[in-house]
């Protein structure tokens, strides 16, 4: 078996400078902070639902029913829960639309400016949504919806920008394990958001929004002054220049050629060591790149499942098992722990195989079994946490791979001739399509749960996971055939 460059000649990690480390950490924590503010909303849903209904408000503030009844949003907790699901859907739809736009903008403007603006502006919107409205006792459904639409658009600047910056600094050699570890930023953000929310929730849910918004705003300032978007900014050679001198890096993990044995590398470095400047690809050209549409559709199904756990897991634990909200928030961390381990390990295996799709296929097949097991979890926190971590491993891991390493592979395949100006656009297409699926899913989850119960929600997750495998099945078959041919050639050569 041909081992990737991370194990030969020390080519991948030995080249990393302190600039690579700084870029890794800054992009990692910038997106972690964006996810932390999203996680805060999911972690305080029970508190918000109680505050928006008259009974709980009267218990906390002890106002007469007549005073509150003219101002409350919902007559029951069920209607409040449905509106919370609607807000999730609104956020994800605007987030999806924003991803398509942000990817194009990111390839044409300075990535640092776009990312910093998105982080700081989103922090202000979150502060107004969760803190200012509660301090002023201003409850208005239309206002909440408008704020969450704006928040979705602003938060969409994050992922295309950070993936593009990482793609500018880290090449194909070892990308699976590097991006697998780095893509834990979303899960770390979930954990951070859960910890921050649970630590101040006793003072009121508005303080959970206040803390996460303040930290995110500060992170946006750090990004503006500290992030280097590419090695060329400080006079270092770009990754295209380095890869063109490495024999194995000429064969990409995603290739548009039908016969990979006939692949010949396309050089973007001319004889004078002058990098060929290529303009940003159009949206249509990015959609036509090999693998973009299949992976986008597959990610729409998978992100639906992953984000359903993200948005509804604490709520599910509180309502289904009767556990306290703070305890449910802390317990939900185990899903993200599983996703971190899964993304890193599966990225490492895909580097060893030099193929991604077979690793995804196996993990998703096992994910179906883990969903069945978790849906039947007993009312025991230890067993639930274990099953939750296993589910996160097999669902969160593939989700992290598609949104990071595979998106970088798609945005740097040979048909673009190494143009970094396609990275943000391709990432926006993949993640934007995924967010559309997730947006539809959040509303469906609330409807299915309200009418049929939580068990049917898990059946729905199993169906979507199966559809994920179906959409990339041609790629799975092709890459497995290639691995078998390579194995046979290796045996014959011995």
């Amino acid at each position: 078996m041909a081992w990737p460059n991370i194990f030969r000649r020390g080519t991948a990690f030995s080249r990393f400078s302190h600039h690579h480390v700084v870029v890794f950490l800054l992009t990692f924590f910038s997106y972690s902070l964006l996810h932390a503010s999203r996680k805060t909303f999911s972690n305080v849903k029970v508190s918000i639902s109680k505050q928006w209904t008259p009974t709980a408000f009267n218990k906390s503030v002890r106002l007469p029913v007549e005073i509150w009844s003219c101002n409350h949003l919902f007559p029951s907790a069920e209607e409040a829960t449905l509106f919370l699901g609607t807000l999730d859907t609104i956020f994800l739809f605007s987030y999806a639309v924003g991803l398509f736009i942000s990817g194009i903008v990111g390839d044409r403007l300075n990535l640092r400016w776009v990312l910093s603006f998105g982080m700081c502006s989103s922090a202000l919107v979150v502060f107004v949504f969760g803190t200012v409205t509660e301090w002023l006792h201003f409850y208005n459904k239309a206002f909440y919806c408008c704020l969450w639409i704006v928040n979705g658009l602003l938060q969409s600047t994050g992922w295309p920008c950070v993936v593009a910056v990482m793609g500018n600094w880290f090449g194909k050699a070892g990308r699976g394990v590097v991006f697998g570890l780095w893509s834990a930023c979303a899960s770390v953000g979930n954990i951070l958001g859960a910890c921050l929310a649970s630590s101040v929730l006793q003072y009121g849910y508005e303080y959970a929004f206040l803390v996460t918004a303040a930290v995110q705003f500060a992170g946006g300032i750090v990004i503006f002054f500290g992030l280097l978007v590419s090695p060329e900014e400080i006079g270092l050679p770009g990754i295209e220049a380095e890869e063109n001198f490495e024999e194995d890096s000429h064969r990409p993990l995603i290739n548009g050629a039908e016969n990979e044995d006939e692949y010949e590398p396309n050089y973007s470095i001319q004889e004078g060591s002058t990098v060929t400047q290529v303009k940003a690809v159009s949206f249509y050209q990015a959609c036509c790149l090999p693998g973009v549409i299949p992976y986008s559709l597959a990610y729409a199904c998978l992100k639906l499942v992953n984000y359903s756990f993200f948005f509804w897991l604490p709520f599910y634990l509180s309502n289904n098992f009767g556990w306290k909200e703070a305890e449910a928030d802390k317990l939900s961390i185990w899903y993200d722990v599983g996703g971190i381990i899964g993304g890193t390990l599966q990225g490492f295996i895909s580097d060893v195989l030099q193929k991604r799709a077979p690793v995804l296929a196996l993990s998703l097949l096992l994910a179906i079994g883990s969903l069945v097991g978790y849906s039947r979890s007993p009312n025991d926190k230890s067993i639930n946490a274990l099953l939750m971590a296993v589910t996160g491993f097999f669902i969160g891991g593939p989700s992290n791979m598609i949104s990071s390493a595979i998106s970088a592979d798609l945005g740097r395949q040979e048909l673009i001739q190494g143009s970094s100006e396609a990275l943000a656009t391709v990432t926006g297409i993949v993640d934007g399509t995924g967010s559309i699926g997730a947006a539809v899913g959040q509303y469906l989850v609330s409807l299915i749960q309200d009418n049929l119960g939580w068990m049917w929600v898990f059946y729905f997750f199993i169906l979507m996971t199966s559809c994920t495998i179906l959409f990339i099945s041609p790629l799975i078959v092709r890459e497995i055939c290639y691995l078998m041919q390579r194995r046979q050639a290796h045996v014959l050569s011995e």
Side-chain angles (χ1 to χ4, degrees):
M1 178 179 291
W3 291 77
N5 284 343
I6 53 176
F7 300 111
R8 280 194 246 136
R9 303 186 305 275
T11 54
F13 293 104
S14 62
R15 290 197 313 267
F16 292 173
S17 64
H18 71 280
H19 297 295
H20 290 82
V21 176
V22 171
V23 168
F24 185 101
L25 293 176
L26 285 179
T27 53
F28 184 97
F29 284 107
S30 64
Y31 196 72
S32 294
L33 294 178
L34 289 170
H35 243 263
S37 66
R38 298 181 211 172
K39 186 64 173 176
T40 299
F41 178 66
S42 66
N43 283 341
V44 300
K45 277 182 176 177
V46 174
S47 295
I48 293 177
S49 178
K50 290 179 179 179
Q51 192 73 350
W52 286 353
T53 52
T55 303
F57 189 89
N58 290 331
K59 288 180 180 178
S60 60
V61 185
R62 294 178 181 171
L63 291 176
V65 176
E66 294 78 13
I67 295 178
W68 174 237
S69 61
C70 62
N71 295 319
H72 77 271
L73 283 178
F74 305 100
S76 66
E78 290 74 17
E79 293 189 23
T81 300
L82 188 62
F83 181 70
L84 290 172
T86 303
L87 284 178
D88 287 338
T89 303
I90 289 173
F91 172 85
L92 285 173
F93 267 122
S94 63
Y95 182 72
V97 173
L99 281 168
F100 294 115
I101 300 172
S102 299
I104 297 173
V105 171
D107 279 333
R108 288 160 175 79
L109 298 180
N110 189 295
L111 293 167
R112 182 178 67 253
W113 299 348
V114 178
L115 179 58
S116 178
F117 170 78
M119 292 181 67
C120 293
S121 302
S122 171
L124 293 175
V125 172
V126 169
F127 173 69
V128 173
F129 176 91
T131 306
V132 174
T133 55
E134 181 58 31
W135 282 348
L136 299 177
H137 296 295
F138 178 76
Y139 308 101
N140 184 279
K141 288 184 283 188
F143 186 65
Y144 284 133
C145 290
C146 291
L147 284 178
W148 233 222
I149 290 172
V150 174
N151 189 37
L153 293 173
L154 293 172
Q155 288 236 350
S156 69
T157 59
W159 192 248
C161 289
V162 293
V163 172
V165 172
M166 283 290 291
N168 289 341
W169 281 90
F170 297 90
K172 286 188 285 287
R175 178 177 286 159
V177 66
V178 171
F179 274 72
L181 181 61
W182 174 83
S183 63
C185 57
S187 298
V188 170
N190 295 343
I191 295 172
L192 178 62
C195 293
L196 290 175
S198 60
S199 64
V200 298
L201 192 57
Q202 57 182 321
Y203 306 108
Y205 74 83
E206 64 270 24
Y207 292 99
F209 286 103
L210 172 63
V211 170
T212 54
V215 174
Q216 180 179 312
F217 188 89
I221 300 300
V222 173
I223 289 296
F224 182 81
F225 290 103
L227 182 64
L228 296 172
V229 299
S230 68
E232 289 86 350
E233 282 193 353
I234 54 174
L236 295 177
I239 63 170
E240 293 91 351
E242 295 181 0
E243 288 176 348
N244 281 330
F245 293 101
E246 294 182 16
E247 177 184 357
D248 293 328
S249 67
H250 294 319
R251 185 178 295 277
L253 290 170
I254 294 179
N255 191 351
E258 291 297 325
N259 186 353
E260 298 190 33
D261 293 332
E262 297 176 0
Y263 170 73
E264 294 181 0
N266 287 322
Y267 291 89
S268 59
I269 306 299
Q270 296 176 344
E271 286 190 4
S273 296
T274 303
V275 179
T276 302
Q277 298 296 325
V278 184
K279 292 183 179 179
V281 300
S282 67
F283 181 85
Y284 175 76
Q285 288 173 323
C287 288
C288 292
L289 290 172
V292 171
I293 296 301
Y295 273 114
S296 297
L297 295 175
Y299 193 49
C301 300
L302 186 58
K303 191 170 184 177
L304 184 155
V305 180
N306 195 42
Y307 261 54
S308 295
F309 275 93
F310 166 73
F311 280 118
W312 290 102
L313 187 54
F315 188 86
Y316 165 74
L317 295 173
S318 296
N319 283 264
N320 194 57
F321 298 108
W323 299 336
K324 294 181 180 179
E325 187 177 17
E327 294 177 347
D329 290 345
K330 293 179 180 178
L331 195 66
S332 66
I333 290 173
W334 287 102
Y335 179 83
D336 297 298
V337 171
I340 293 172
I341 299 173
T344 305
L345 182 58
Q346 292 164 32
F348 170 78
I349 296 173
S350 69
D351 277 342
V352 173
L353 295 176
Q354 298 184 12
K355 293 296 174 186
R356 312 278 192 215
V359 180
L360 288 176
L362 178 59
S363 181
L364 292 171
L365 286 172
L366 295 173
I368 294 174
S370 68
L371 285 169
V372 174
Y374 186 70
S375 66
R376 290 163 171 77
S377 173
N379 193 347
D380 183 280
K381 294 179 182 178
S382 299
I383 297 176
N384 193 285
L386 176 61
L387 294 175
M388 190 189 303
V390 172
T391 305
F393 183 95
F394 292 122
I395 293 178
S399 180
N400 290 345
M401 277 187 61
I402 294 177
S403 62
S404 59
I406 289 176
S407 293
D409 291 340
L410 292 170
R412 281 196 176 277
Q413 48 191 305
E414 80 282 0
L415 293 179
I416 317 171
Q417 297 181 350
S419 170
S420 63
E421 287 78 10
L423 264 174
T425 302
V426 169
T427 303
I429 292 171
V430 175
D431 204 26
T433 307
S435 296
I436 291 176
V440 174
Q442 302 324 296
Y443 193 71
L444 290 177
V445 166
S446 62
L447 287 179
I448 294 172
Q449 187 275 328
D450 189 49
N451 293 284
L452 300 173
W454 285 108
M455 186 58 68
W456 282 93
V457 172
F458 284 100
Y459 293 152
F460 178 57
F461 291 163
I462 292 171
L463 175 63
M464 290 297 100
T465 305
S466 302
C467 290
T468 304
I469 301 174
L470 180 63
F471 280 123
I472 60 173
S473 56
L475 299 173
I476 295 170
V477 172
R478 188 170 68 182
E479 293 187 11
I480 289 177
C481 290
Y482 170 76
L483 290 174
M484 293 175 63
Q485 292 173 0
R486 192 174 70 183
R487 178 62 179 172
Q488 291 174 357
H490 179 70
V491 171
L492 292 175
S493 65
E494 291 180 345

